[in-house]
Amino acid sequence: MTSTELTKAKKESSELNPRSQKLEFFGVPGTTILTLTVPLVPYGLYFTCSEEAGGCPPKLWDVVLLRVHELSSLDGWKSLWDTKAFTALTGWLVYLVVLWAILPGDWVEGLQLRDGTKRKYKINALGALFMTLGLVGGMIYNNGPQTFTFIYEHYLGLITATFVWSYVQSILLYIWSFYGHPKVLALAANSGYHIHDFWLGRELNPTIGNFDLKVFFELRPGLIGWVLINISCACEQAVRNGGKITDSMMLVLGFQGLYVLDAIYNEPAVLSTMDVVTDGFGLMLSFGDLCWLPMTYSLQARYLAFNPVELGWAGVAGVFIVHMIGYYIFRSANMEKNDFRNGQNPKNLSFMETKRGTRLLTSGWWGRSRHPNYMGDLIMALSWCLPTGFNTPITYFYPVYFLVLLVHRQRRDDEACHEKYGDDWLEYKKRVPYRIFPYIY
């Protein structure tokens, strides 16, 4: 390549991938802290809520003394590693890639990227879910629940395995983002600050051929894995309880299973989410999809495995009503949005025109708040924890964390929309003043 051609290529690259003007997550200090500390959460939940730790929660001083004593020796650190768990995780990922390749599925076009291209994505995660549940269900039916307690028994090792895999994967993808053909980078992760860009993900959509790594990890290993972890916890409870599981465990399996089924059934909808359209595939999503999601969201089922709770009919009915209220808000709000985006308006909802030529809903659920789906999501999150009772606050970690996450995401979205729509967004906020909870926030 001549010097003229090289200069032209650099210019085109800088136009396609301009330097990030604003740093996310409080910049370098914030992303450094997150990179170093996020693994502590799944470990912390395990060591403060498990039989090994002595309860949920055990006495705080006992936890501190036990961890300090164990980690003061090399054997203590080695106890976190489990070769069988890492082998199982590797096999799980290979299995899902094979299913992606061999199961039939429609190829759906995603949104247009900044370079003018549109990628196609194979939609067959639902088939992978059903195939997996069929195999697991058949194994349990024919050989008993004791054949599927491996995940529960190797839970700590799986935390380490998913943690290590996600960090190594993120490092390799970050290095790879600097090589090869000109790539579309995430606008927020091209700052030149390595730790910041590593956390957010420098390349927008890393692919191997037509296999999109980010979309694959977004829905398959963690989400389907979460269902399998819950089933394993239920099997552990059944083994200890003469083959029976409690009504609280059935609610957790049903609620969280429905959530996963809903997400996977609506797989094409993920192609228009912030995770896919805006964020790169860095440690934030890699760790979140593979480790954080399955190893923290399964806390309720893991707790019930060794601490069974019977709710009775009244308790079951109460929790079920809370869940269905959340699910109704979540699903009906998303249906309104999806219909409107696809040029349909069956409810004749009002909207405002923007100078960009696009339209913003101002009635229905989207007239009550700017993110009514988040409200439904949070109500469902609470219903997942209620079956564990009120003997420990630890099993309520998820809705507290989720509230913080969604408030942060809402604020990021608000900034992006203000930049996108300008004064129209200010007018929209006057018409729809509440962010998530009507009359509250």
Side-chain angles (χ1 to χ4, degrees):
M1 180 180 291
T2 66
S3 59
T4 303
E5 291 173 331
L6 183 60
T7 301
K8 182 180 178 182
K10 287 182 178 180
K11 182 180 179 182
E12 291 175 350
S13 178
S14 63
E15 290 175 352
L16 177 63
N17 300 306
R19 280 292 185 189
S20 306
Q21 298 301 312
K22 183 179 178 182
L23 300 185
E24 302 276 357
F25 296 94
F26 301 103
V28 172
T31 50
T32 300
I33 292 171
L34 287 169
T35 299
L36 296 176
T37 60
V38 284
L40 298 179
V41 175
Y43 282 121
L45 290 174
Y46 182 83
F47 288 122
T48 57
C49 190
S50 65
E51 290 175 292
E52 179 186 352
C56 185
K59 293 180 180 179
L60 179 60
W61 188 244
D62 290 345
V63 176
V64 173
L65 289 178
L66 178 62
R67 291 302 112 205
V68 170
H69 174 71
E70 287 188 352
L71 298 181
S72 63
S73 67
L74 182 60
D75 289 340
W77 287 98
K78 287 181 178 179
S79 68
L80 301 178
W81 177 259
D82 183 338
T83 301
K84 289 183 179 180
F86 190 83
T87 302
L89 173 64
T90 304
W92 171 238
L93 294 174
V94 171
Y95 162 80
L96 288 175
V97 172
V98 170
L99 288 188
W100 174 86
I102 66 174
L103 291 179
D106 294 331
W107 286 89
V108 174
E109 201 171 62
L111 299 181
Q112 182 172 303
L113 301 178
R114 293 197 312 279
D115 62 356
T117 63
K118 290 185 178 181
R119 291 183 177 173
K120 290 190 175 182
Y121 301 88
K122 192 176 185 182
I123 305 298
N124 62 2
L126 188 63
L129 173 64
F130 288 156
M131 172 76 77
T132 303
L133 291 180
L135 293 172
V136 171
M139 184 172 68
I140 295 171
Y141 179 80
N142 289 311
N143 302 303
Q146 69 278 1
T147 60
F148 201 67
T149 58
F150 175 90
I151 299 175
Y152 179 84
E153 294 165 355
H154 293 264
Y155 199 93
L156 178 59
L158 286 168
I159 293 175
T160 303
T162 52
F163 151 51
V164 170
W165 187 288
S166 61
Y167 270 68
V168 171
Q169 174 176 268
S170 300
I171 292 169
L172 293 176
L173 287 175
Y174 184 70
I175 294 172
W176 178 246
S177 72
F178 291 92
Y179 297 94
H181 57 82
K183 299 172 180 179
V184 179
L185 306 181
L187 288 175
N190 189 28
S191 68
Y193 294 102
H194 292 298
I195 193 69
H196 174 270
D197 298 346
F198 168 72
W199 168 258
L200 287 173
R202 191 166 179 270
E203 187 174 356
L204 185 62
N205 297 103
T207 59
I208 302 173
N210 56 8
F211 179 68
D212 189 296
L213 288 166
K214 184 169 66 173
V215 172
F216 172 79
F217 277 93
E218 186 79 10
L219 284 179
R220 301 181 190 230
L223 272 178
I224 301 177
W226 175 18
V227 175
L228 297 190
I229 294 171
N230 284 355
I231 293 174
S232 182
C233 292
C235 287
E236 179 68 23
Q237 187 188 80
V239 169
R240 302 180 183 204
N241 199 31
K244 299 179 181 179
I245 62 173
T246 61
D247 52 13
S248 57
M249 180 67 86
M250 285 189 281
L251 282 178
V252 170
L253 290 179
F255 291 165
Q256 297 184 355
L258 176 63
Y259 186 87
V260 172
L261 177 62
D262 181 86
I264 290 180
Y265 178 79
N266 294 286
E267 183 180 3
V270 78
L271 303 180
S272 61
T273 61
M274 179 184 289
D275 285 357
V276 173
V277 175
T278 304
D279 294 332
F281 191 41
L283 183 62
M284 179 177 69
L285 289 183
S286 182
F287 182 84
D289 292 340
L290 189 59
C291 182
W292 184 283
L293 188 154
M295 308 314 295
T296 63
Y297 290 16
S298 57
L299 173 61
Q300 293 78 29
R302 185 167 61 79
Y303 170 78
L304 292 172
F306 68 88
N307 192 34
V309 174
E310 287 287 358
L311 298 173
W313 286 109
V316 169
V319 175
F320 185 79
I321 289 171
V322 172
H323 179 80
M324 292 313 298
I325 290 172
Y327 182 75
Y328 171 74
I329 295 172
F330 175 80
R331 180 46 46 207
S332 57
N334 279 332
M335 286 179 65
E336 283 183 359
K337 179 180 66 174
N338 289 334
D339 285 343
F340 195 71
R341 281 181 172 176
N342 292 324
Q344 303 171 16
N345 191 4
K347 296 182 179 180
N348 197 29
L349 301 175
S350 62
F351 55 87
M352 63 171 281
E353 298 277 358
T354 70
K355 296 182 181 70
R356 292 174 56 92
T358 54
R359 302 176 299 173
L360 300 173
L361 278 173
T362 55
S363 68
W365 283 111
W366 299 89
R368 294 182 175 94
S369 76
R370 301 200 289 272
H371 286 282
N373 52 337
Y374 289 2
M375 176 172 61
D377 232 345
L378 286 164
I379 294 172
M380 284 193 290
L382 176 63
S383 74
W384 298 352
C385 306
L386 291 174
T388 65
F390 300 100
N391 291 326
T392 174
I394 294 178
T395 54
Y396 288 81
F397 163 81
Y398 175 67
V400 175
Y401 145 76
F402 203 39
L403 176 62
V404 174
L405 173 73
L406 292 182
V407 167
H408 177 261
R409 177 170 288 188
Q410 179 275 319
R411 289 180 177 274
R412 287 181 69 199
D413 184 62
D414 192 70
E415 291 177 1
C417 288
H418 187 199
E419 184 176 332
K420 180 178 181 180
Y421 295 109
D423 291 340
D424 285 332
W425 187 250
L426 298 178
E427 173 60 27
Y428 168 74
K429 289 200 294 184
K430 291 179 182 178
R431 298 190 190 187
V432 187
Y434 299 104
R435 299 168 185 262
I436 298 176
F437 297 99
Y439 307 105
I440 299 174
Y441 175 75

